[in-house]
Amino acid sequence: MQITLKDIARMADVAESTVSRALNNKPGVGEDTKLKIIKIAKKHNYRPNQLARGLAANKTNMIAVILSEMDSPGNIEIVKSLEKAAEKNGYQIILCNTNNQTEKEKSYLTLLESNQVDGAIFIGGKLVEGHLLRASFSPDNNIVLVNRLAEENFFTSVLTDYSQGVYKAVGHLLDQGFENIALVGGEDYNLIEEEKSAGYKAALIDHGYQINEDLIFSIKADRKSGYNVFLEIIEGDIIPDAFISTSELTTIGLVEAIKMGGYFIPDDFAVVGYGDNILTSVIDPPLTVLSEPVDALADYSFDFLLKLINKKMKDQQIKVLTPELIIRESSISKYN
Amino acid sequence: MQITLKDIARMADVAESTVSRALNNKPGVGEDTKLKIIKIAKKHNYRPNQLARGLAANKTNMIAVILSEMDSPGNIEIVKSLEKAAEKNGYQIILCNTNNQTEKEKSYLTLLESNQVDGAIFIGGKLVEGHLLRASFSPDNNIVLVNRLAEENFFTSVLTDYSQGVYKAVGHLLDQGFENIALVGGEDYNLIEEEKSAGYKAALIDHGYQINEDLIFSIKADRKSGYNVFLEIIEGDIIPDAFISTSELTTIGLVEAIKMGGYFIPDDFAVVGYGDNILTSVIDPPLTVLSEPVDALADYSFDFLLKLINKKMKDQQIKVLTPELIIRESSISKYN
DNA sequence: TTGTAAGCGTTATCAT
DNA sequence: ATGATAACGCTTACAA
C-alpha cells in the first residue's frame, strides 16, 4: 500500500491538517514543522492520492482533449502545443480519440460529467449534436471547441477561418492563370463546409469569374475518397486545371490519383492542399498549402478553458484565426 | 451541482447502498426496487462521481498509455488498437506523450503512483531508467513495456524483434544483388540498437559477407538526422548501394536527401525503411519496409496489463513479435 | 432484500 | 500555529 497523509502525520507527530497545509504550501504552518514534514514526505516518497484530493477539493487539474481524428498530423500538432500550455499551468492532459464517432464522444463526455477532469477541449469533428449542447448547459462543464461549429453558437470556441483560407487560395490560383478551379471539401453537411464554399464563391466573383457548381465536390475526409474523387472528375464533363483540397488526407489521396493517372503537378493540375506538416511535406512536388495556425489555436483554447475553469470568463468568447497560404511548387504555373 | 447517489436514494426512498447495488448490477436488490432506482437515475441523468468511486473501490478503470513519440504513425496505430481493446474491456485510456523526456515520464508516472490509473503501458523510448525501475518494484504499479528494453528484464513486455527484421532486410537486399548495405539506426546507446546491428551482422556473415563497421550509422531518430546522414555518407570513403533505415522519421529524411541529391531509388540506392503506415506510404517510389505488428503489439500488451491488474499473472511475461518485410519498388534491383 | 455505518485519502472549517 | 472533525460521493461489510 502507498503511504498516506495520515502516516506522515503520525510520523511527524502532528495533525493531518497540518501535513496537508505544509505539503500544499498553505499559510499557517511553522517553518520548522513544515520542513520536518516535507522531509518525511520526501523520504518516504509520498504521493498524494489524486482521487481523494480531487474529491475533497472538487478539482483534478486534469483536462480532457477530445480529438475527432488522430490521423491528422495537424491535430497532433495542436495537441503537442496544448501539452506545453498545460504543463506550464500545472495541468495534465487526458487525450481521447473519438474517430468521429458520436458514441465515443458521448462516452468521453462523462469524464467531464463525472468530475474526472476540470474541463474539456474538443478538436474538430462534426456539427455539435444534442448531447454536447446539453452538457454545455451545466456551468460545471467547462467546454472549449476548436475548429468545430454548432448551429447555435453557445460555445466558447477557437476557429480557423476556412472561408478566408479558401479565398486566398482561389486568388492565388487565378493569379497563376488557372481558371477552372475545383474545390474538394468534406462531405459532412455542416457550417464549416459551407464556409469553405462561401470563400470559394466569393473569391471567384470578386475576381470576375462565374461559379460552376459542378466544380464543388463534397467527399469523405479520407485518403481513399480523395483518390476516388479525381477518378470521377476526369471522367466528367468539365475538367478543372487546379484543385483546392481542404483536408490533409484527401489531399494525399488526390495527389496520389493525379500521379497514378500519369498526370503532372502543376503542369496538368495545380494543387493547393491543407495543413503544413510532416505528411504533406513528404509529397512530391512540394505542395502549396493552407497552413493552420496550430500554436495559436492551442494557446487560445487553453487560455479560454483556464478562464472558464477559474470563472474568469465574463462573456462567451469566440476567436477566429486565419490560415496562411504557403506557396510552393504545386501551384506555380509553368507559363508564368 | 451534479446529482449524487444520496439524492437518488432520497428520491427512491431507499438506502444509498441499495442504489449503489442497483446501479452496479450487484446481487441483492429486488427487481422492482432496482427498476425504480434505474428509472430515477436515468431521469436525472445521474453520473457516478468516478473520483469517489475510485477512492472507495481502489479502482479507476483507467489506464495510462505513455508514448515516447507522438510523431510516429506506427505508435499512433498501436494507440488506436489499444483504444479498441480498452473499450471492449470497460477501460478508458489516458494518453500521455513524453517526447522522450525523462522528466515528463517521471511526471506521468505519478498517475500510477497517485492511483489515478490502474496500470500503464509504456510505448517506445530509451532504455529504462531508475525511476521506472523503482516504480516497478511496487506490486501496485502495473506496468507493461512495449518496444522498450531494460538492463535487467524485470518488466512484463511486448517486443518487436528488430534483429530478425534487419536480418530479413539484409537477406532480401543481398538477394537483389546489393552488396554494400548501410544500416542507419538510432543513436541512443540501448539494447534495441544493439539488436539491430546484431541482426545486420549475422545476416551478412550467414551469407558469406564481410562486415564493415563504417557502414553502420547511429543517428538521432528524426527526419533531419536522416537527411544529414546521407550527405555525410556520400562524402565518405565507402559509398553504399543500399540503405536499411530503422525508424520512420529517419527513413523520410534519408529518402528526401537521396532525391534532393539527384539520385534515384532504387537505381542508385536501394532503400528499406521502417513502418508500414500513412507516412511511409506517401513516399515515391513505393517503399520496401519492415512492418511492425502493431495490432499484435497492442493486443498482447493490453492483455498482459489486464492480467497484472487482476493479479492473474503468475510469472513475468515477455512476448517477442517479428516484423514483416513488405517488398516494394524501392529495393528491387533493375538488374533482376 | 434492505439498511446502517465504516472507510477510502484528502481538504476545509472551526476551535483552541 | 496547530488540532479536531466534518465533508467530498461512493463501496462494502455487517446487521437487521
Side-chain angles (χ1 to χ4, degrees), chain A residues 50-56 58-60 114-117, chain B residues 48-56 116:
Chain A
Q50 299 293 351
L51 297 175
R53 192 200 273 246
L55 184 58
N58 200 26
K59 180 105 176 59
T60 62
S114 64
N115 299 307
Q116 287 182 96
V117 295
Chain B
N49 181 320
Q50 298 295 350
L51 296 175
R53 193 202 274 247
L55 186 58
Q116 289 183 93

PDB file of all heavy atoms in Angstrom, chain A residues 50-56 58-60 114-117, chain B residues 48-56 116, chain D residues 9:
ATOM      1  N   GLN A  50      -4.567  11.419  -5.795  1.00  0.00           N
ATOM      2  CA  GLN A  50      -5.262  12.477  -6.530  1.00  0.00           C
ATOM      3  C   GLN A  50      -6.763  12.277  -6.544  1.00  0.00           C
ATOM      4  O   GLN A  50      -7.528  13.215  -6.758  1.00  0.00           O
ATOM      5  CB  GLN A  50      -4.729  12.559  -7.954  1.00  0.00           C
ATOM      6  CG  GLN A  50      -3.249  12.880  -8.051  1.00  0.00           C
ATOM      7  CD  GLN A  50      -2.902  14.274  -7.570  1.00  0.00           C
ATOM      8  OE1 GLN A  50      -3.798  15.083  -7.301  1.00  0.00           O
ATOM      9  NE2 GLN A  50      -1.621  14.566  -7.435  1.00  0.00           N
ATOM     10  N   LEU A  51      -7.193  11.053  -6.358  1.00  0.00           N
ATOM     11  CA  LEU A  51      -8.641  10.820  -6.334  1.00  0.00           C
ATOM     12  C   LEU A  51      -9.220  11.479  -5.093  1.00  0.00           C
ATOM     13  O   LEU A  51     -10.214  12.207  -5.151  1.00  0.00           O
ATOM     14  CB  LEU A  51      -8.929   9.326  -6.326  1.00  0.00           C
ATOM     15  CG  LEU A  51      -8.474   8.551  -7.551  1.00  0.00           C
ATOM     16  CD1 LEU A  51      -8.709   7.064  -7.356  1.00  0.00           C
ATOM     17  CD2 LEU A  51      -9.199   9.036  -8.783  1.00  0.00           C
ATOM     18  N   ALA A  52      -8.571  11.218  -3.973  1.00  0.00           N
ATOM     19  CA  ALA A  52      -9.044  11.799  -2.720  1.00  0.00           C
ATOM     20  C   ALA A  52      -8.956  13.320  -2.776  1.00  0.00           C
ATOM     21  O   ALA A  52      -9.870  14.039  -2.369  1.00  0.00           O
ATOM     22  CB  ALA A  52      -8.213  11.275  -1.562  1.00  0.00           C
ATOM     23  N   ARG A  53      -7.871  13.778  -3.297  1.00  0.00           N
ATOM     24  CA  ARG A  53      -7.671  15.211  -3.389  1.00  0.00           C
ATOM     25  C   ARG A  53      -8.756  15.851  -4.268  1.00  0.00           C
ATOM     26  O   ARG A  53      -9.342  16.869  -3.919  1.00  0.00           O
ATOM     27  CB  ARG A  53      -6.289  15.468  -3.991  1.00  0.00           C
ATOM     28  CG  ARG A  53      -5.816  16.894  -3.885  1.00  0.00           C
ATOM     29  CD  ARG A  53      -4.735  17.138  -4.899  1.00  0.00           C
ATOM     30  NE  ARG A  53      -3.425  16.791  -4.391  1.00  0.00           N
ATOM     31  CZ  ARG A  53      -2.473  17.704  -4.187  1.00  0.00           C
ATOM     32  NH1 ARG A  53      -2.711  18.979  -4.409  1.00  0.00           N
ATOM     33  NH2 ARG A  53      -1.295  17.338  -3.773  1.00  0.00           N
ATOM     34  N   GLY A  54      -8.979  15.223  -5.407  1.00  0.00           N
ATOM     35  CA  GLY A  54      -9.985  15.741  -6.320  1.00  0.00           C
ATOM     36  C   GLY A  54     -11.367  15.716  -5.680  1.00  0.00           C
ATOM     37  O   GLY A  54     -12.159  16.640  -5.852  1.00  0.00           O
ATOM     38  N   LEU A  55     -11.613  14.658  -4.959  1.00  0.00           N
ATOM     39  CA  LEU A  55     -12.926  14.526  -4.319  1.00  0.00           C
ATOM     40  C   LEU A  55     -13.130  15.637  -3.284  1.00  0.00           C
ATOM     41  O   LEU A  55     -14.175  16.271  -3.233  1.00  0.00           O
ATOM     42  CB  LEU A  55     -13.023  13.160  -3.653  1.00  0.00           C
ATOM     43  CG  LEU A  55     -14.353  12.793  -3.006  1.00  0.00           C
ATOM     44  CD1 LEU A  55     -15.470  12.855  -4.034  1.00  0.00           C
ATOM     45  CD2 LEU A  55     -14.276  11.411  -2.397  1.00  0.00           C
ATOM     46  N   ALA A  56     -12.112  15.854  -2.500  1.00  0.00           N
ATOM     47  CA  ALA A  56     -12.230  16.846  -1.432  1.00  0.00           C
ATOM     48  C   ALA A  56     -12.223  18.269  -1.977  1.00  0.00           C
ATOM     49  O   ALA A  56     -12.981  19.121  -1.514  1.00  0.00           O
ATOM     50  CB  ALA A  56     -11.102  16.656  -0.434  1.00  0.00           C
ATOM     51  N   ASN A  58     -12.689  19.188  -5.166  1.00  0.00           N
ATOM     52  CA  ASN A  58     -13.509  19.362  -6.352  1.00  0.00           C
ATOM     53  C   ASN A  58     -12.708  19.980  -7.485  1.00  0.00           C
ATOM     54  O   ASN A  58     -13.146  20.911  -8.164  1.00  0.00           O
ATOM     55  CB  ASN A  58     -14.732  20.221  -6.034  1.00  0.00           C
ATOM     56  CG  ASN A  58     -15.822  20.033  -7.060  1.00  0.00           C
ATOM     57  OD1 ASN A  58     -15.894  18.975  -7.700  1.00  0.00           O
ATOM     58  ND2 ASN A  58     -16.655  21.040  -7.233  1.00  0.00           N
ATOM     59  N   LYS A  59     -11.540  19.432  -7.681  1.00  0.00           N
ATOM     60  CA  LYS A  59     -10.610  19.975  -8.689  1.00  0.00           C
ATOM     61  C   LYS A  59      -9.578  18.905  -8.953  1.00  0.00           C
ATOM     62  O   LYS A  59      -8.986  18.352  -8.035  1.00  0.00           O
ATOM     63  CB  LYS A  59      -9.939  21.224  -8.081  1.00  0.00           C
ATOM     64  CG  LYS A  59      -8.943  21.929  -8.952  1.00  0.00           C
ATOM     65  CD  LYS A  59      -9.560  23.212  -9.484  1.00  0.00           C
ATOM     66  CE  LYS A  59      -8.554  24.021 -10.305  1.00  0.00           C
ATOM     67  NZ  LYS A  59      -8.038  23.289 -11.445  1.00  0.00           N
ATOM     68  N   THR A  60      -9.372  18.575 -10.238  1.00  0.00           N
ATOM     69  CA  THR A  60      -8.459  17.477 -10.528  1.00  0.00           C
ATOM     70  C   THR A  60      -7.170  17.924 -11.210  1.00  0.00           C
ATOM     71  O   THR A  60      -6.237  17.160 -11.323  1.00  0.00           O
ATOM     72  CB  THR A  60      -9.131  16.444 -11.463  1.00  0.00           C
ATOM     73  OG1 THR A  60      -9.451  17.090 -12.690  1.00  0.00           O
ATOM     74  CG2 THR A  60     -10.379  15.891 -10.829  1.00  0.00           C
ATOM     75  N   SER A 114     -18.489  13.305 -14.768  1.00  0.00           N
ATOM     76  CA  SER A 114     -18.222  12.544 -13.548  1.00  0.00           C
ATOM     77  C   SER A 114     -17.036  13.140 -12.802  1.00  0.00           C
ATOM     78  O   SER A 114     -16.412  12.475 -11.985  1.00  0.00           O
ATOM     79  CB  SER A 114     -17.975  11.087 -13.884  1.00  0.00           C
ATOM     80  OG  SER A 114     -16.820  10.968 -14.671  1.00  0.00           O
ATOM     81  N   ASN A 115     -16.743  14.370 -13.118  1.00  0.00           N
ATOM     82  CA  ASN A 115     -15.739  15.126 -12.355  1.00  0.00           C
ATOM     83  C   ASN A 115     -14.327  14.598 -12.441  1.00  0.00           C
ATOM     84  O   ASN A 115     -13.511  14.885 -11.574  1.00  0.00           O
ATOM     85  CB  ASN A 115     -16.139  15.179 -10.874  1.00  0.00           C
ATOM     86  CG  ASN A 115     -17.451  15.874 -10.684  1.00  0.00           C
ATOM     87  OD1 ASN A 115     -17.617  16.987 -11.162  1.00  0.00           O
ATOM     88  ND2 ASN A 115     -18.383  15.218 -10.031  1.00  0.00           N
ATOM     89  N   GLN A 116     -14.038  13.845 -13.462  1.00  0.00           N
ATOM     90  CA  GLN A 116     -12.666  13.361 -13.567  1.00  0.00           C
ATOM     91  C   GLN A 116     -11.741  14.403 -14.168  1.00  0.00           C
ATOM     92  O   GLN A 116     -10.535  14.306 -14.066  1.00  0.00           O
ATOM     93  CB  GLN A 116     -12.622  12.093 -14.401  1.00  0.00           C
ATOM     94  CG  GLN A 116     -13.185  10.918 -13.671  1.00  0.00           C
ATOM     95  CD  GLN A 116     -13.095   9.658 -14.506  1.00  0.00           C
ATOM     96  OE1 GLN A 116     -12.189   8.888 -14.381  1.00  0.00           O
ATOM     97  NE2 GLN A 116     -14.068   9.465 -15.374  1.00  0.00           N
ATOM     98  N   VAL A 117     -12.309  15.358 -14.851  1.00  0.00           N
ATOM     99  CA  VAL A 117     -11.492  16.434 -15.415  1.00  0.00           C
ATOM    100  C   VAL A 117     -12.163  17.777 -15.115  1.00  0.00           C
ATOM    101  O   VAL A 117     -13.366  17.851 -14.879  1.00  0.00           O
ATOM    102  CB  VAL A 117     -11.335  16.282 -16.950  1.00  0.00           C
ATOM    103  CG1 VAL A 117     -10.551  15.032 -17.300  1.00  0.00           C
ATOM    104  CG2 VAL A 117     -12.692  16.278 -17.634  1.00  0.00           C
TER     105      VAL A 117
ATOM    106  N   PRO B  48     -22.211   8.732 -11.897  1.00  0.00           N
ATOM    107  CA  PRO B  48     -21.427   8.495 -10.677  1.00  0.00           C
ATOM    108  C   PRO B  48     -20.138   9.298 -10.705  1.00  0.00           C
ATOM    109  O   PRO B  48     -19.506   9.420 -11.742  1.00  0.00           O
ATOM    110  CB  PRO B  48     -21.137   6.993 -10.725  1.00  0.00           C
ATOM    111  CG  PRO B  48     -21.445   6.557 -12.105  1.00  0.00           C
ATOM    112  CD  PRO B  48     -22.443   7.511 -12.660  1.00  0.00           C
ATOM    113  N   ASN B  49     -19.790   9.841  -9.596  1.00  0.00           N
ATOM    114  CA  ASN B  49     -18.517  10.551  -9.485  1.00  0.00           C
ATOM    115  C   ASN B  49     -17.393   9.525  -9.446  1.00  0.00           C
ATOM    116  O   ASN B  49     -17.246   8.775  -8.495  1.00  0.00           O
ATOM    117  CB  ASN B  49     -18.516  11.411  -8.223  1.00  0.00           C
ATOM    118  CG  ASN B  49     -17.228  12.192  -8.080  1.00  0.00           C
ATOM    119  OD1 ASN B  49     -16.149  11.688  -8.357  1.00  0.00           O
ATOM    120  ND2 ASN B  49     -17.342  13.430  -7.649  1.00  0.00           N
ATOM    121  N   GLN B  50     -16.626   9.523 -10.526  1.00  0.00           N
ATOM    122  CA  GLN B  50     -15.600   8.484 -10.647  1.00  0.00           C
ATOM    123  C   GLN B  50     -14.490   8.652  -9.636  1.00  0.00           C
ATOM    124  O   GLN B  50     -13.783   7.694  -9.316  1.00  0.00           O
ATOM    125  CB  GLN B  50     -15.025   8.473 -12.059  1.00  0.00           C
ATOM    126  CG  GLN B  50     -16.032   8.160 -13.143  1.00  0.00           C
ATOM    127  CD  GLN B  50     -16.599   6.759 -13.074  1.00  0.00           C
ATOM    128  OE1 GLN B  50     -16.118   5.918 -12.313  1.00  0.00           O
ATOM    129  NE2 GLN B  50     -17.638   6.490 -13.834  1.00  0.00           N
ATOM    130  N   LEU B  51     -14.305   9.856  -9.158  1.00  0.00           N
ATOM    131  CA  LEU B  51     -13.268  10.057  -8.154  1.00  0.00           C
ATOM    132  C   LEU B  51     -13.661   9.330  -6.876  1.00  0.00           C
ATOM    133  O   LEU B  51     -12.881   8.584  -6.289  1.00  0.00           O
ATOM    134  CB  LEU B  51     -13.090  11.547  -7.872  1.00  0.00           C
ATOM    135  CG  LEU B  51     -12.599  12.390  -9.051  1.00  0.00           C
ATOM    136  CD1 LEU B  51     -12.573  13.862  -8.671  1.00  0.00           C
ATOM    137  CD2 LEU B  51     -11.235  11.938  -9.496  1.00  0.00           C
ATOM    138  N   ALA B  52     -14.892   9.546  -6.471  1.00  0.00           N
ATOM    139  CA  ALA B  52     -15.381   8.912  -5.257  1.00  0.00           C
ATOM    140  C   ALA B  52     -15.394   7.391  -5.430  1.00  0.00           C
ATOM    141  O   ALA B  52     -14.998   6.637  -4.548  1.00  0.00           O
ATOM    142  CB  ALA B  52     -16.785   9.406  -4.935  1.00  0.00           C
ATOM    143  N   ARG B  53     -15.834   6.994  -6.585  1.00  0.00           N
ATOM    144  CA  ARG B  53     -15.907   5.571  -6.851  1.00  0.00           C
ATOM    145  C   ARG B  53     -14.515   4.936  -6.793  1.00  0.00           C
ATOM    146  O   ARG B  53     -14.299   3.898  -6.173  1.00  0.00           O
ATOM    147  CB  ARG B  53     -16.520   5.361  -8.240  1.00  0.00           C
ATOM    148  CG  ARG B  53     -16.932   3.949  -8.523  1.00  0.00           C
ATOM    149  CD  ARG B  53     -17.003   3.717 -10.005  1.00  0.00           C
ATOM    150  NE  ARG B  53     -18.290   4.093 -10.551  1.00  0.00           N
ATOM    151  CZ  ARG B  53     -19.144   3.186 -11.051  1.00  0.00           C
ATOM    152  NH1 ARG B  53     -18.842   1.908 -11.030  1.00  0.00           N
ATOM    153  NH2 ARG B  53     -20.274   3.579 -11.563  1.00  0.00           N
ATOM    154  N   GLY B  54     -13.568   5.607  -7.455  1.00  0.00           N
ATOM    155  CA  GLY B  54     -12.207   5.100  -7.463  1.00  0.00           C
ATOM    156  C   GLY B  54     -11.619   5.070  -6.068  1.00  0.00           C
ATOM    157  O   GLY B  54     -10.918   4.129  -5.692  1.00  0.00           O
ATOM    158  N   LEU B  55     -11.921   6.093  -5.322  1.00  0.00           N
ATOM    159  CA  LEU B  55     -11.382   6.175  -3.963  1.00  0.00           C
ATOM    160  C   LEU B  55     -11.914   5.030  -3.101  1.00  0.00           C
ATOM    161  O   LEU B  55     -11.169   4.375  -2.376  1.00  0.00           O
ATOM    162  CB  LEU B  55     -11.769   7.519  -3.344  1.00  0.00           C
ATOM    163  CG  LEU B  55     -11.188   7.845  -1.976  1.00  0.00           C
ATOM    164  CD1 LEU B  55      -9.667   7.823  -2.018  1.00  0.00           C
ATOM    165  CD2 LEU B  55     -11.683   9.210  -1.512  1.00  0.00           C
ATOM    166  N   ALA B  56     -13.187   4.804  -3.230  1.00  0.00           N
ATOM    167  CA  ALA B  56     -13.808   3.766  -2.402  1.00  0.00           C
ATOM    168  C   ALA B  56     -13.422   2.363  -2.860  1.00  0.00           C
ATOM    169  O   ALA B  56     -13.155   1.484  -2.050  1.00  0.00           O
ATOM    170  CB  ALA B  56     -15.323   3.926  -2.427  1.00  0.00           C
ATOM    171  N   GLN B 116      -4.390   7.286  -9.932  1.00  0.00           N
ATOM    172  CA  GLN B 116      -5.347   7.800 -10.905  1.00  0.00           C
ATOM    173  C   GLN B 116      -5.608   6.804 -12.016  1.00  0.00           C
ATOM    174  O   GLN B 116      -6.576   6.934 -12.744  1.00  0.00           O
ATOM    175  CB  GLN B 116      -4.840   9.114 -11.491  1.00  0.00           C
ATOM    176  CG  GLN B 116      -4.889  10.235 -10.514  1.00  0.00           C
ATOM    177  CD  GLN B 116      -4.447  11.538 -11.132  1.00  0.00           C
ATOM    178  OE1 GLN B 116      -5.240  12.308 -11.626  1.00  0.00           O
ATOM    179  NE2 GLN B 116      -3.161  11.769 -11.118  1.00  0.00           N
TER     180      GLN B 116
ATOM    181  P    DG D   9     -20.561  15.651  -3.293  1.00  0.00           P
ATOM    182  OP1  DG D   9     -20.800  16.436  -4.513  1.00  0.00           O
ATOM    183  OP2  DG D   9     -21.458  15.782  -2.134  1.00  0.00           O
ATOM    184  O5'  DG D   9     -20.510  14.108  -3.677  1.00  0.00           O
ATOM    185  C5'  DG D   9     -19.690  13.714  -4.768  1.00  0.00           C
ATOM    186  C4'  DG D   9     -19.577  12.216  -4.786  1.00  0.00           C
ATOM    187  O4'  DG D   9     -18.898  11.776  -3.587  1.00  0.00           O
ATOM    188  C3'  DG D   9     -20.920  11.477  -4.798  1.00  0.00           C
ATOM    189  O3'  DG D   9     -20.844  10.500  -5.816  1.00  0.00           O
ATOM    190  C2'  DG D   9     -21.008  10.867  -3.410  1.00  0.00           C
ATOM    191  C1'  DG D   9     -19.541  10.636  -3.087  1.00  0.00           C
ATOM    192  N9   DG D   9     -19.224  10.557  -1.668  1.00  0.00           N
ATOM    193  C8   DG D   9     -19.858  11.202  -0.630  1.00  0.00           C
ATOM    194  N7   DG D   9     -19.335  10.935   0.545  1.00  0.00           N
ATOM    195  C5   DG D   9     -18.291  10.048   0.259  1.00  0.00           C
ATOM    196  C6   DG D   9     -17.372   9.413   1.124  1.00  0.00           C
ATOM    197  O6   DG D   9     -17.296   9.511   2.361  1.00  0.00           O
ATOM    198  N1   DG D   9     -16.482   8.611   0.419  1.00  0.00           N
ATOM    199  C2   DG D   9     -16.491   8.440  -0.947  1.00  0.00           C
ATOM    200  N2   DG D   9     -15.554   7.627  -1.441  1.00  0.00           N
ATOM    201  N3   DG D   9     -17.337   9.026  -1.765  1.00  0.00           N
ATOM    202  C4   DG D   9     -18.213   9.818  -1.105  1.00  0.00           C
TER     203       DG D   9
END
